[in-house]
């Protein structure tokens, strides 16, 4: 029964611009017209909106908020990002699966996405709260043949710019916190994790992981992060369609990634600085000790440029910053 329903959705999505008749659906699925009608009602019950026109047939006009492979593809306007989508209801970590697929030869732009991660992780192996059905948790395989390993960390900043540009289109005013977070006010909305497999001067592949809080209420977060995290729902007061958010991020990232490979980091740097969190403000930096510094900019290699209280400038490639 589930297989027939999945095939029905795939047929409707493959003909999303046109109607497909009940008789054709019946013939292609080898089930009765009444079974088609029953499946249509069940799809409506889980959030799909269908249009049925006499002598024309059926078509999907709206997908549910919760993600599925078919809903993610419906409206995806990219050339290569997400051409192959590996959807899982629940996984340990999408990063782990993406690494496995990359080692097996999965193509550039392959996406691993899940409704839930039970062992989601962020930078420095910190736990990432990935509640079922309430956010976007996905990892993408990138194979940038012209990128040197020393410049691979810039992909994190490229992704941050893409996410920021995408969320602004959904009326969410965000800032980028160096090196890998998206903030609304002083609360974390999204995080980015970039991991690489490379040899000397050759990048084999990069795994770009993105976690974005979509429809959580405050009680959906673990108590340890309730005062640190937020979601699009908490910011806007409205439930969002996670499929649409994914599609917007995908398109923006594809554009920013291609700009980066063609023009270098310069154009990305300018956009990044327009979204920078606490630009020209004082921050606390933890190295061997705690010290105060003013955030000045990022460099063309993605490093953070700051100035301490004595006026001395420093370049940070990796640091724990207490924002």
């Amino acid at each position: 029964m589930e297989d027939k329903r999945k095939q029905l959705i795939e047929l409707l999505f493959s003909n999303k611009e046109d109607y497909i008749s009940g008789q054709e659906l019946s013939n292609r699925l080898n089930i009765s017209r009444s079974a088609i009608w029953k499946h249509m009602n069940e799809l409506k019950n889980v959030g799909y909106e269908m249009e049925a026109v006499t002598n024309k047939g059926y078509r999907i006009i709206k997908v549910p908020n919760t993600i599925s492979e078919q809903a993610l593809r419906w409206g995806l306007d990219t050339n290569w990002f997400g051409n192959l989508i590996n959807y899982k209801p629940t996984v340990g970590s999408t990063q782990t699966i993406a690494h496995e697929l990359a080692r097996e030869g999965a193509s550039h732009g392959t996406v691993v996405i899940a409704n839930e991660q039970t062992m989601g992780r962020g930078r420095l192996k910190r736990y990432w709260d990935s509640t079922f059905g309430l956010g976007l948790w996905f990892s993408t395989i990138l194979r940038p043949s012209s990128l040197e390993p020393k410049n691979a960390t810039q992909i994190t900043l490229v992704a941050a710019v893409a996410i920021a540009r995408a969320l602004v289109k959904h009326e969410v005013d965000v800032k980028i916190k160096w090196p890998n977070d998206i903030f609304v006010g002083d609360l974390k909305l999204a995080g980015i994790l970039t991991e690489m497999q490379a040899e000397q001067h050759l990048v084999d592949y990069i795994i770009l992981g993105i976690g974005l809080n979509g429809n959580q209420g405050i009680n959906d977060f673990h108590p340890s992060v309730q005062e640190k995290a937020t979601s699009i729902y908490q910011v806007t007061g409205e439930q969002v369609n996670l499929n649409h958010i994914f599609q917007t991020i995908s398109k923006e990232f594809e554009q920013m990634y291609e700009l980066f490979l063609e023009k270098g980091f310069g154009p990305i740097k300018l956009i990044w600085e327009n979204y920078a969190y606490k630009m020209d403000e004082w921050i606390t930096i933890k190295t061997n000790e705690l010290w105060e510094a003013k955030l000045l900019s990022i460099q063309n290699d993605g490093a953070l440029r700051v100035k301490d209280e004595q006026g001395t400038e420093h370049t940070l490639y990796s640091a724990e910053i207490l924002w």
Side-chain angles (χ1 to χ4, degrees):
M1 187 70 73
E2 290 293 333
D3 287 342
K4 292 296 183 183
R5 193 173 308 148
K6 182 178 179 181
Q7 293 174 38
L8 173 61
I9 294 172
E10 289 173 348
L11 282 172
L12 290 166
F13 274 115
S14 65
N15 291 271
K16 62 185 179 183
E17 301 299 330
D18 301 306
Y19 295 92
I20 182 168
S21 71
Q23 187 59 55
E24 183 176 354
L25 290 171
S26 176
N27 293 340
R28 294 177 68 173
L29 296 177
N30 196 29
I31 58 178
S32 67
R33 293 283 296 273
S34 62
I36 295 291
W37 181 82
K38 182 179 179 181
H39 281 306
M40 289 293 184
N41 283 334
E42 289 170 347
L43 289 174
K44 290 177 183 177
N45 289 336
V46 296
Y48 286 88
E49 288 189 18
M50 304 289 185
E51 186 176 40
V53 177
T54 303
N55 297 326
K56 285 188 175 181
Y58 302 93
R59 67 172 182 168
I60 292 176
I61 58 174
K62 187 178 179 181
V63 299
N65 287 346
T66 53
I67 65 171
S68 68
E69 183 175 344
Q70 294 81 15
L72 289 166
R73 290 188 178 283
W74 192 67
L76 182 61
D77 183 22
T78 56
N79 294 317
W80 50 263
F81 192 103
N83 274 353
L84 178 61
I85 295 178
N86 192 312
Y87 166 75
K88 305 285 186 182
T90 300
V91 297
S93 165
T94 59
Q95 288 287 105
T96 301
I97 295 177
H99 275 288
E100 293 171 356
L101 292 176
R103 288 192 291 267
E104 293 169 1
S107 61
H108 176 69
T110 296
V111 170
V112 178
I113 188 165
N115 258 315
E116 178 186 42
Q117 294 183 116
T118 58
M119 294 184 292
R121 67 182 191 273
R123 185 169 170 261
L124 304 178
K125 297 185 178 179
R126 290 173 176 146
Y127 172 74
W128 183 272
D129 201 349
S130 312
T131 311
F132 189 92
L134 296 180
L136 285 175
W137 332 116
F138 66 98
S139 301
T140 307
I141 299 170
L142 303 172
R143 297 189 183 275
S145 58
S146 61
L147 186 67
E148 293 188 24
K150 66 180 182 179
N151 296 325
T153 56
Q154 295 173 336
I155 294 292
T156 300
L157 306 177
V158 173
V161 165
I163 295 169
R165 284 166 56 94
L167 292 176
V168 165
K169 290 184 176 180
H170 289 273
E171 301 183 351
V172 184
D173 186 18
V174 299
K175 294 292 183 182
I176 302 172
K177 181 174 79 67
W178 186 89
N180 67 323
D181 292 330
I182 305 295
F183 268 41
V184 175
D186 293 322
L187 299 175
K188 185 171 179 175
L189 180 68
I192 303 162
L193 177 62
T194 306
E195 298 174 326
M196 174 180 64
Q197 181 67 37
E199 296 180 8
Q200 294 183 339
H201 300 295
L202 178 65
V203 173
D204 183 11
Y205 66 82
I206 292 171
I207 305 297
L208 173 68
I210 293 173
L212 185 147
N213 300 325
N215 289 322
Q216 293 96 331
I218 188 168
N219 293 325
D220 292 313
F221 290 113
H222 190 275
S224 64
V225 300
Q226 285 182 357
E227 295 182 357
K228 303 175 183 178
T230 190
S231 67
I232 296 176
Y233 170 65
Q234 287 180 261
V235 172
T236 65
E238 297 180 0
Q239 296 282 317
V240 295
N241 189 306
L242 296 173
N243 302 288
H244 293 168
I245 300 290
F246 171 81
Q247 290 158 0
T248 310
I249 291 174
S250 300
K251 187 173 181 64
E252 287 291 339
F253 178 77
E254 186 174 278
Q255 292 175 347
M256 292 299 101
Y257 178 85
E258 291 178 352
L259 175 65
F260 167 62
L261 292 185
E262 181 182 354
K263 302 290 186 180
F265 188 67
I268 303 297
K269 174 180 180 292
L270 294 176
I271 303 172
W272 190 98
E273 289 177 343
N274 285 333
Y275 287 105
Y277 179 67
K278 291 190 179 294
M279 182 65 76
D280 295 324
E281 295 184 30
W282 290 88
I283 57 178
T284 301
I285 299 172
K286 182 179 181 181
T287 49
N288 294 329
E289 58 184 3
L290 296 178
W291 51 288
E292 301 296 312
K294 188 175 185 179
L295 197 162
L296 301 177
S297 66
I298 54 171
Q299 298 190 151
N300 282 335
D301 59 1
L304 194 68
R305 192 166 65 90
V306 301
K307 179 172 66 177
D308 66 24
E309 293 174 302
Q310 287 71 45
T312 303
E313 292 192 9
H314 302 263
T315 300
L316 305 178
Y317 288 92
S318 179
E320 185 74 4
I321 298 177
L322 310 179
W323 296 89

